Amino acid sequence: MTRYRFLDPMGDEIADHEFGDHATALAWAHGDVADGPDLPDDEIHRVEYLGPGGDWRWAGAMRG
């Protein structure tokens, strides 16, 4: 499991969870899973994961 953090437009963390892969974390952020966030659709602007060196890395785009 990998720790992911979800950031608002200002770069502040609004949630963090552990997921098995990027696709699941992004689906959660988009509200595409049953236990997704109870936030407005545009509240999460960036998703990052904790890399092996303890640094936060970009996980994927929230918008296409």
Side-chain angles (χ1 to χ4, degrees):
M1 297 295 271
T2 301
R3 176 152 303 278
Y4 289 82
R5 68 181 182 178
F6 304 88
L7 308 175
D8 70 7
M10 296 300 293
D12 295 325
E13 183 177 310
I14 56 175
D16 71 275
H17 294 283
E18 290 188 354
F19 295 99
D21 57 55
H22 291 348
T24 304
L26 292 172
W28 182 89
H30 283 292
D32 294 340
V33 295
D35 66 341
D38 186 21
L39 299 167
D41 290 344
D42 61 350
E43 187 68 21
I44 298 174
H45 278 239
R46 184 174 178 93
V47 179
E48 298 177 335
Y49 70 98
L50 191 58
D55 57 327
W56 289 102
R57 300 177 180 193
W58 183 70
M62 286 299 298
R63 298 189 192 345

